[in-house]
Amino acid sequence: MTAKTLFEKIWDAHVVAAESTDTPAILYVDLHLVHEVTSPQAFTELRERGLKLRRPERMLATLDHSTPTLPTAANGERPYANDEAKAQVAQLESNCREFGVALHGWDSADRGIVHVIGPELGVTQPGMTIVCGDSHTSTHGAFGALAFGIGTTEVGHVMATQCLLQRRPKTLAIHVDGQLPQGVGAKDLILHIIGQIGVDGGTGHVIEYRGPAIAALSMEQRMTVCNMSIEAGARAGLIAPDETTFAWLQGRPQAPQGAAWDAAVARWRRLPTDAGARFDREVRIDATAVKPTVTYGTHPGMAIAMDAPVPPARNAQEKRALEYMQSQPGQPMQGMPVDVVFIGSCTNSRLSDLREAANVLRGRRVASRVRMLVVPGSEAVRRDAEREGLHQVFTAAGAEWRVPGCSMCIAMNGDLAQPGQLVVSTSNRNFEGRQGKGARTVLASPATAAASAVAGSIADPRDYLVEVAA
Amino acid sequence: MKPVTRIHSRTAVLADENIDTDRIIPARFLTTTTREGLGRLCFHDWRYQADGSDNPAFPLNQPQAQSCAILVAGQNFGCGSSREHAPWALLDYGIQAVLCSELADIFRNNALKNGLLAITVSEGEHRWLLEHPGSELAIDVRGEFIELPDGGRIAFQLEPFARHCLLHGVDQLGYLLQHADAITRYEQQHQEQVA
């Protein structure tokens, strides 16, 4: 039998009709995740064409992008940013009722960011194909699922046929050798990787992250890595399922139970890339060389170790990016004054992320110049964090503890920074204006974000963690 | 989708590399629930000044860029968010084709599904196009070539199915629905996986 990669095994198992020169493959989709922003036009099209959902039980919907993260007012009103946001949420609620889709809405104990709740509920499983009208669907690749973002036209295709027309992408292996140093995490690693291969380094490819540093990551760290695959332009990111994956999934509400669990694990154990399988491209990364990493420009590929000097602009775009960021070539980012700190998003809003930030903040205060928002990724994360008292650590330090949602990552719900403000953010995109028109974003890990909140300027979290240990 | 066979226009140039879909249409406008009318929001924060007037520094606001239907963009155009609002906004703004040396995958896919020609050319050809804004071009979808002002040609390749759909205005959802029996067979044969 030919040796196959993890990607090839999943792909081959989902081909309904093979691709030819003239036509793409028809690929079956096991799980379709839906949120309020990229679905309304697709539901409208189905309604106009008199079509039904082919497999509504393979869909899971939630409210996350346009939703306020401030609590409901005493009069029961939710503080939406505007009437359009409110109407968009209402439209998903009515679409889900009309078409029979399970919605984890306002009344659900499981509502949250779509890429946080899929895994939490055990809906995300190894070997699956998963799509969502959202580029960070790559997050689910952490479980060894082929997961990718699609546009709204394709959302409609999946609704009506449970299939997509797809050309087979190429494969890129990123081997991460060695182990990450103490105080350096998954976010630092993925920013470092994107800094190495570039924002288009993965274009046309599905990445498989491999090697000892990847195997040593927790599931939540693996999700952080796979989440940002799209920031390298990749179609998807994958990590082979292993004992860490199975242990994390076992007992989740929608994970298989009993004999079905054993059968599923036996199936999942056959998924990892076979010895001798070939990738179209391979890249090696040395984990031991990774330091706390931040971005200094206006795309995630402009990433450097925080103590390294900002490189000179190589072209007009980079010059414009440095001017926008007010970052100085030759100077490190460390020490740059900070106005806002955001901890949240599908990249870094899980319990371990909040613990990482709280470990830095415990017994300390957020600098007076800094506004800090902590937005848990889901209601479950919020409950778990509150059970541990993490919310008290945040509020005692002077941070705001919010209701789950995408919040300031995409800044379409009213949570945003003012023009010129510098945001140290655990999210995934530092594009111009992403967190508010004119706002400047520095991407960083939860530990770096928390340390920067305390210092009032971009700070190395290792300085804070050492103090705690001493 | 209406068939797209040939586009004839002068070019406008946005030379910046890595123009992301947040720049094409900022996220705060994504609360819309329709596809229509997004042209006025296209490149919003680049195109307008704080008082709402046109930003004279935005290349597409230049008089010579008016009514250009072909956009030549810097490498990796359309990166970032998967929002299909980006091609909807470009089309409504009047752009019918984007030429680039490299396009982000999801953007290209979304664009072609809406009849926005998303075409990659070689780096050398791309450089020439970037350096010659206002060039009168004709894009021929059937022949897969771009006719230059001097009569020269740049060949390009579209994914064959996307090209077929553009030329004949094929409805891709209709095409998929024709395969309903094959999908049912697949579901029956993969009960375990699809359980």
Side-chain angles (χ1 to χ4, degrees):
Chain A
M1 215 174 68
T2 341
K4 283 184 177 183
T5 63
L6 166 60
F7 161 76
E8 289 166 325
K9 292 180 193 185
I10 303 173
W11 176 274
D12 291 349
H14 289 84
V15 171
V16 172
E19 98 181 78
S20 71
T21 315
D22 293 336
T23 52
I26 297 179
L27 194 72
Y28 196 80
V29 172
D30 294 322
L31 173 63
H32 184 193
L33 304 168
V34 171
H35 63 72
E36 71 274 24
V37 176
T38 55
S39 65
Q41 297 87 352
F43 278 114
T44 300
E45 185 171 3
L46 255 65
R47 194 178 293 115
E48 285 172 0
R49 296 173 69 142
L51 293 168
K52 290 198 172 71
L53 300 176
R54 184 178 173 92
R55 299 294 297 268
E57 74 281 10
R58 296 194 153 271
M59 291 172 71
L60 183 149
T62 191
L63 309 170
D64 53 7
H65 282 65
S66 299
T67 51
T69 60
L70 285 166
T72 308
N75 64 4
E77 283 286 311
R78 296 192 189 278
Y80 282 101
N82 51 53
D83 289 346
E84 222 179 35
K86 186 178 176 180
Q88 189 177 55
V89 165
Q91 190 157 337
L92 182 60
E93 290 170 333
S94 68
N95 281 335
C96 287
R97 271 195 304 275
E98 178 186 340
F99 285 89
V101 179
L103 170 67
H104 293 278
W106 283 119
D107 54 356
S108 164
D110 302 316
R111 191 189 66 82
I113 303 174
V114 66
H115 309 309
V116 176
I117 70 170
E120 246 171 31
L121 293 168
V123 182
T124 299
Q125 293 168 18
M128 278 184 159
T129 46
I130 302 176
V131 300
C132 176
D134 192 291
S135 60
H136 292 112
T137 309
S138 58
T139 312
H140 306 263
F143 292 81
L146 177 61
F148 51 92
I150 56 176
T152 298
T153 298
E154 290 185 318
V155 167
H157 292 181
V158 180
M159 285 176 171
T161 69
Q162 206 58 35
C163 288
L164 280 175
L165 292 162
Q166 290 282 304
R167 289 282 176 190
R168 185 188 181 108
K170 297 191 180 107
T171 52
L172 165 61
I174 297 185
H175 299 272
V176 188
D177 298 314
Q179 293 296 335
L180 292 171
Q182 195 70 27
V184 175
K187 184 61 165 292
D188 301 307
L189 172 62
I190 189 62
L191 287 173
H192 176 83
I193 290 173
I194 301 165
Q196 297 288 306
I197 69 172
V199 279
D200 54 358
T203 302
H205 291 75
V206 168
I207 298 174
E208 183 180 332
Y209 302 95
R210 300 163 60 80
I214 299 297
L217 297 177
S218 70
M219 282 320 295
E220 301 200 349
Q221 292 172 320
R222 292 179 190 186
M223 285 189 252
T224 299
V225 169
C226 287
N227 171 274
M228 289 192 71
S229 302
I230 180 65
E231 310 312 335
R235 207 68 190 90
L238 285 167
I239 293 174
D242 60 7
E243 298 308 320
T244 304
T245 320
F246 308 145
W248 199 90
L249 273 175
Q250 190 163 22
R252 301 255 163 203
Q254 297 194 45
Q257 315 285 334
W261 169 260
D262 295 336
V265 171
R267 210 164 62 235
W268 297 341
R269 284 190 200 284
R270 296 196 290 271
L271 285 169
T273 295
D274 299 325
R278 300 276 297 268
F279 293 89
D280 293 302
R281 264 176 68 210
E282 304 201 28
V283 169
R284 297 205 92 88
I285 299 283
D286 176 9
T288 63
V290 182
K291 292 179 173 179
T293 300
V294 293
T295 57
Y296 65 94
T298 53
H299 67 63
M302 298 177 83
I304 48 169
M306 74 161 67
D307 58 358
V310 169
R314 290 170 299 183
N315 54 43
Q317 286 80 52
E318 288 192 359
K319 186 164 180 284
R320 179 189 153 106
L322 295 189
E323 282 167 8
Y324 181 87
M325 288 303 296
Q326 300 166 30
S327 47
Q328 304 296 327
Q331 299 271 317
M333 292 299 283
Q334 195 168 347
M336 191 184 247
V338 172
D339 303 297
V340 180
V341 168
F342 171 62
I343 296 199
S345 86
C346 56
T347 314
N348 282 125
S349 64
R350 297 176 181 85
L351 188 61
S352 59
D353 300 314
L354 303 187
R355 284 178 182 156
E356 184 180 314
N359 283 344
V360 172
L361 282 176
R362 196 168 279 115
R364 295 196 172 97
R365 292 280 308 168
V366 173
S368 58
R369 60 168 290 132
V370 174
R371 175 188 180 209
M372 181 172 182
L373 250 69
V374 185
V375 187
S378 68
E379 290 294 346
V381 171
R382 181 160 80 133
R383 276 193 302 277
D384 290 347
E386 291 185 354
R387 199 172 297 131
E388 290 183 16
L390 299 184
H391 64 310
Q392 285 158 346
V393 176
F394 295 126
T395 51
E400 298 173 44
W401 175 244
R402 293 290 187 94
V403 172
C406 300
S407 183
M408 205 185 272
C409 172
I410 188 163
M412 61 180 291
N413 74 330
D415 297 343
L416 49 82
Q418 298 306 310
Q421 283 192 321
L422 188 95
V423 189
V424 177
S425 179
T426 66
S427 56
N428 41 55
R429 287 186 174 136
N430 52 337
F431 299 152
E432 256 185 53
R434 171 85 177 181
Q435 297 192 290
K437 194 175 173 183
R440 300 176 292 144
T441 300
V442 172
L443 301 178
S445 71
T448 296
S452 304
V454 172
S457 60
I458 296 175
D460 191 328
R462 293 174 300 187
D463 297 341
Y464 291 78
L465 297 169
V466 168
E467 278 178 44
V468 170
Chain B
M1 194 171 78
K2 279 190 303 195
V4 181
T5 53
R6 194 174 165 86
I7 290 168
H8 189 164
S9 167
R10 279 177 301 111
T11 58
V13 172
L14 286 177
D16 281 17
E17 292 175 6
N18 306 310
I19 294 175
D20 55 76
T21 52
D22 274 88
R23 275 183 103 186
I24 300 172
I25 179 163
R28 64 182 184 278
F29 301 125
L30 303 189
T31 46
T32 180
T33 53
T34 66
R35 299 167 184 244
E36 289 81 30
L38 302 182
R40 69 195 160 81
L41 307 172
C42 194
F43 297 115
H44 186 281
D45 292 351
W46 196 359
R47 174 178 163 192
Y48 302 113
Q49 303 187 102
D51 64 1
S53 62
D54 285 354
N55 171 14
F58 178 56
L60 300 192
N61 284 343
Q62 307 305 313
Q64 62 272 24
Q66 298 306 306
S67 68
C68 289
I70 301 176
L71 176 65
V72 178
Q75 184 190 319
N76 200 29
F77 184 79
C79 61
S81 155
S82 58
R83 62 191 67 165
E84 199 162 313
H85 308 69
W88 295 338
L90 287 163
L91 281 163
D92 193 46
Y93 178 81
I95 303 294
Q96 297 171 44
V98 179
L99 305 182
C100 199
S101 57
E102 179 185 50
L103 288 157
D105 288 327
I106 305 178
F107 173 80
R108 170 165 40 200
N109 203 13
N110 286 339
L112 291 171
K113 284 193 162 44
N114 285 275
L116 173 65
L117 288 182
I119 292 173
T120 50
V121 295
S122 75
E123 283 181 24
E125 292 154 351
H126 185 228
R127 205 173 310 121
W128 188 92
L129 290 167
L130 286 172
E131 288 165 0
H132 294 82
S135 295
E136 193 87 31
L137 302 183
I139 303 174
D140 189 297
V141 178
R142 191 178 305 278
E144 292 181 298
F145 61 82
I146 301 166
E147 235 167 57
L148 299 173
D150 66 359
R153 284 182 175 187
I154 293 174
F156 63 84
Q157 275 194 319
L158 285 169
E159 191 278 304
F161 186 71
R163 175 172 162 274
H164 171 78
C165 293
L166 287 165
L167 284 173
H168 304 285
V170 172
D171 163 34
Q172 295 196 11
L173 177 51
Y175 172 85
L176 270 172
L177 286 166
Q178 287 169 14
H179 290 77
D181 291 347
I183 299 169
T184 303
R185 272 197 305 280
Y186 175 89
E187 286 177 332
Q188 286 163 351
Q189 286 160 8
H190 294 76
Q191 284 302 336
E192 185 185 56
Q193 179 187 316
V194 181

